[in-house]
Amino acid sequence: MAATGLRALLESVRYEVLPANATEEKVLAHVPRDVVVTVTASPVKGLEPTLDLTGRLAAHGYRVVPHVPARLLRDEVHLKEVTDRLRASRVDDVFVPAGDADPPAGVYEGALPVLRRLSELGGPFARVGVTGYPESHPLIHDDITIQSMWDKREHATYIVSNLCFDPRVLGEWVARLRRRGVALPVHIGVAGPVQRTKLLAMATKIGVGESTRFLTKHASWFARFAAPGGYAPERLLTRAEAALTAPAAGVAGLHLFTFNQIAETERWRRTLLDRVDG
């Protein structure tokens, strides 16, 4: 990959973190203030840990993007309460997936009704992100997922792609988006340089029920991390050069899944930036 293209991607990053006890301390110790931090939400623990950590990190001067899964919202009143709380913390960017809560906590089955309601509330957030699926969703046909992004385009401002380890699939997905007329900028979801043992430990800490779902949905990840030489994010970035840097692709940057290996992720990014410069 050309140094300029790789540098641009590495400088336009978002770090996804889980709201655990030590997360705030890790972010403060290792993440520069110009790096966007996104905070996940758990169907086991609910929205409160996400909202709490978001408020605290925002108070420290970070640009924070909370995940607000539709299936964790009880009703319109709850959505308004969450919106008001985030705006009080000066949060102007939210990520709205459907979420994995089963059954849903309330009236919302998917993200689109929540996005529409936010628009009806006057668009309280300057930026609103939605999910993209480069690899096939286990329950939803590919054409339906892209149609869903088309339906959401009037209410969202960007797309965050789910994890993908195949540069060919990634490139084809971005091209399909653009052919279908979906013009929203894309943040490419990439796994950080996490060790397999730490990934397993993180999956266990999520909670028994959710851990089972995590392992079921992402069993193929562990094989990649256990492969000879392990998993190296830069290999994916290098092989996906054309897809990620072509002007028509509309890639806005990287969304790094840290799995709360925050120090390791920032160290990897800095090392790669130094290598590009050197």
Side-chain angles (χ1 to χ4, degrees):
M1 180 181 294
T4 54
L6 182 54
R7 165 166 279 285
L9 290 172
L10 291 169
E11 289 180 339
S12 301
V13 297
R14 298 154 53 101
Y15 283 175
E16 179 174 301
V17 303
L18 293 90
N21 290 336
T23 305
E24 180 181 6
E25 179 182 347
K26 289 181 178 181
V27 170
L28 290 173
H30 303 291
V31 180
R33 293 299 194 280
D34 60 348
V35 170
V36 175
V37 179
T38 80
V39 183
T40 65
S42 160
V44 174
K45 298 179 181 178
L47 271 176
E48 183 55 35
T50 300
L51 300 176
D52 180 59
L53 180 59
T54 295
R56 286 186 279 123
L57 291 177
H60 287 301
Y62 287 97
R63 183 177 153 206
V64 191
V65 182
H67 293 211
V68 183
R71 295 168 73 92
L72 286 182
L73 294 165
R74 295 186 297 273
D75 49 30
E76 291 187 4
V77 173
H78 188 202
L79 173 58
K80 182 65 164 54
E81 291 172 351
V82 169
T83 297
D84 290 344
R85 181 171 172 181
L86 292 174
R87 293 302 299 140
S89 296
R90 298 186 178 181
V91 170
D92 67 354
D93 189 342
V94 293
F95 177 62
V96 184
D100 295 328
D102 187 16
V107 300
Y108 299 114
E109 292 278 350
L112 185 56
V114 173
L115 296 169
R116 286 174 173 156
R117 184 57 184 151
L118 286 174
S119 293
E120 291 168 359
L121 290 173
F125 303 104
R127 290 169 52 81
V128 178
V130 295
T131 309
Y133 298 96
E135 296 184 327
S136 295
H137 190 285
L139 302 176
I140 308 173
H141 191 277
D142 291 345
D143 286 339
I144 295 176
T145 62
I146 291 184
Q147 180 64 43
S148 175
M149 282 181 281
W150 172 261
D151 295 338
K152 295 170 184 174
R153 75 193 186 286
E154 295 179 1
H155 309 283
T157 61
Y158 64 92
I159 296 167
V160 178
S161 75
N162 223 343
L163 270 178
C164 179
F165 295 97
D166 188 327
R168 179 187 58 79
V169 170
L170 191 57
E172 291 176 353
W173 173 73
V174 171
R176 286 184 66 210
L177 278 183
R178 302 318 180 201
R179 284 199 303 270
R180 289 286 295 270
V182 178
L184 296 175
V186 175
H187 296 264
I188 298 295
V190 176
V194 63
Q195 296 177 11
R196 181 172 180 267
T197 53
K198 291 183 177 179
L199 184 61
L200 284 165
M202 182 277 301
T204 302
K205 288 177 181 177
I206 288 174
V208 176
E210 190 175 355
S211 178
T212 301
R213 285 191 292 272
F214 181 93
L215 293 170
T216 300
K217 289 170 60 180
H218 306 298
S220 63
W221 294 4
F222 299 101
R224 293 178 182 276
F225 287 113
Y231 164 74
E234 56 266 36
R235 286 207 296 270
L236 171 65
L237 296 177
T238 299
R239 292 169 182 172
E241 173 186 356
L244 301 184
T245 61
V251 171
L254 301 179
H255 182 99
L256 289 169
F257 295 85
T258 71
F259 305 107
N260 275 17
Q261 303 307 302
I262 296 167
E264 294 86 344
T265 301
E266 176 62 10
R267 188 180 307 120
W268 166 81
R269 185 177 76 101
R270 285 292 167 191
T271 299
L272 197 52
L273 277 169
D274 288 344
R275 192 183 310 164
V276 167
D277 291 339

